[in-house]
């Protein structure tokens, strides 16, 4: 199956929320890159379409669980 790349821009309220999200991203067994900027974390996901779909759901759960 072909590997694809998907970019997610996740808004964060403050530094504490950004650090929490970055720590949670570090627990994922995934091919990803994350760069933080004030107010936002840019996440680049690499994988098959199904892998990316699963990762997007996990990241969505991370941002909802506060």
């Amino acid at each position: 199956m072909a590997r694809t790349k998907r970019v997610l821009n996740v808004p964060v309220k403050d530094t504490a929320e950004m650090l929490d999200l970055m720590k949670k991203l570090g627990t994922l067994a995934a091919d990803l890159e994350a760069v933080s900027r004030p107010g936002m974390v840019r996440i680049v996901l690499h994988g098959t379409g199904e892998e990316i779909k699963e990762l997007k759901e996990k990241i969505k759960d991370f941002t909802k669980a506060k």
Side-chain angles (χ1 to χ4, degrees):
M1 195 170 249
R3 292 184 56 81
T4 54
K5 172 181 162 181
R6 180 77 56 214
V7 178
L8 303 175
N9 291 309
V10 180
V12 291
K13 288 185 255 182
D14 54 21
T15 304
E17 185 178 350
M18 182 266 305
L19 289 173
D20 186 48
L21 176 59
M22 295 294 269
K23 285 179 186 175
K24 289 177 180 178
L25 290 173
T27 64
L28 294 175
D31 186 8
L32 63 84
E33 305 160 34
V35 178
S36 62
R37 293 198 165 81
M40 180 178 49
V41 176
R42 181 177 189 261
I43 306 166
V44 181
L45 305 171
H46 302 275
T48 64
E50 190 60 37
E51 290 171 336
I52 289 176
K53 197 180 287 187
E54 290 175 19
L55 287 170
K56 284 172 64 175
E57 287 300 315
K58 288 180 183 179
I59 292 169
K60 188 188 291 185
D61 290 343
F62 288 164
T63 58
K64 286 183 181 177
K66 295 181 181 170

